[in-house]
Amino acid sequence: MKLILLGAPGAGKGTVAKLLTKLDGSVQISTGDILRGAVAAGTELGKQAQAFMAAGDLVPDELIMGIMEKRLQEPDCENGFLLDGFPRTIPQAEQLKTMLANLGIELDMAVNIDVPRDVILDRLTTRRTCSNGDCQAIYNVKSNPPKEEGVCDKCGSPVIQREDETEEAISHRLETYNEKTAPLIGFYENEGLLMTVDATSSDAVINAIQERLGATA
Ligand code: AMP
């Protein structure tokens, strides 16, 4: 499947993407994970992105489009892809449209995961992430803590609160979402690609997506 996952930070895009990859071999492409990996590895991209990310601001469109143009042409995308955290602005969506047309790729849908603000705030303030840039496993201090406090179950690296998940940075990220990313809902509605799911459980989101894809297949 070839999907865009839309939704505020904390809506569950990453969790849903990971579950969907198990269904048909589609790959998850998270621009946030790619950028955090670059920051952890100290690459040129990471150096350019770091300050924007720490402040909860978006990284400039040019940097993101450069990453995505290469990523979408990697062979593993042939089985399908789940775009998680991209596009984030109308210019990114417009450039993606042109890029996909040039590559002869057709999207199935843009899925808007619509979760109430209080649930989002609670999830983001209690979320913890593995600090290893190649792992980035997600935990939650309330609902899914690591077996040993502060240590990743998967790779043994420290589990931390992301720099952009302090209360101040979170509220800025949500403002940025409302201003820059929420307009994509109208964009994909006009494209005839939008599906909105208002479910807080990732299983319910997956079921709704599978039902819709089954109905259109
Ligand atoms: P995420 O993990 O998707 O919440 O992304 C974390 C941070 O990475 C965001 O707050 C932005 O600073 C940056 N970022 C991720 N994806 C994008 C994108 N498509 N456009 C611009 N900035 C992005």
Side-chain angles (χ1 to χ4, degrees):
M1 58 189 106
K2 297 187 174 76
L3 300 183
I4 293 174
L5 298 171
L6 291 174
K13 301 183 294 295
T15 306
V16 166
K18 283 193 179 67
L19 291 169
L20 288 173
T21 60
K22 297 192 184 132
L23 296 181
D24 71 348
S26 304
V27 282
Q28 175 190 12
I29 305 181
S30 156
T31 40
D33 282 353
I34 294 172
L35 292 167
R36 276 184 293 279
V39 171
T43 65
E44 192 50 40
L45 170 67
K47 285 182 197 144
Q48 291 182 50
Q50 189 163 25
F52 294 104
M53 294 174 75
D57 284 324
L58 292 181
V59 169
D61 290 339
E62 308 78 67
L63 279 184
I64 298 291
M65 295 315 299
I67 299 173
M68 288 307 295
E69 181 149 29
K70 284 199 207 107
R71 185 66 190 88
L72 284 170
Q73 294 183 68
E74 307 234 341
D76 61 351
C77 290
E78 276 166 25
N79 293 330
F81 50 77
L82 309 154
L83 302 186
D84 160 14
F86 170 85
R88 256 329 209 271
T89 62
I90 294 281
Q92 288 183 15
E94 280 167 348
Q95 289 176 58
L96 174 66
K97 186 177 169 183
T98 310
M99 198 184 283
L100 291 176
N102 289 339
L103 295 170
I105 297 173
E106 219 173 291
L107 288 173
D108 295 311
M109 291 189 300
V111 182
N112 174 32
I113 309 174
D114 193 7
V115 174
R117 190 182 161 93
D118 54 330
V119 176
I120 297 251
L121 283 175
D122 185 56
R123 277 188 193 165
L124 290 177
T125 48
T126 54
R127 181 153 83 176
R128 299 292 180 270
T129 306
C130 173
S131 57
N132 172 357
D134 294 327
C135 176
Q136 301 195 36
I138 303 279
Y139 298 92
N140 184 289
V141 287
K142 288 191 200 160
S143 59
N144 176 32
K147 289 192 189 81
E148 187 183 336
E149 197 184 328
V151 181
C152 180
D153 295 348
K154 295 195 177 131
C155 75
S157 302
V159 169
I160 54 158
Q161 181 165 29
R162 272 167 47 178
E163 208 176 350
D164 62 354
E165 286 180 351
T166 59
E167 272 190 37
E168 200 187 339
I170 287 169
S171 83
H172 187 54
R173 280 167 69 203
L174 292 175
E175 273 167 32
T176 305
Y177 169 78
N178 287 333
E179 189 190 325
K180 305 252 172 72
T181 309
L184 295 185
I185 296 169
F187 179 93
Y188 286 110
E189 191 162 31
N190 285 339
E191 296 284 310
L193 287 172
L194 186 72
M195 167 186 185
T196 292
V197 192
D198 54 355
T200 48
S201 115
S202 38
D203 286 340
V205 177
I206 306 279
N207 288 340
I209 292 173
Q210 279 189 295
E211 247 173 58
R212 177 67 71 90
L213 285 177
T216 55

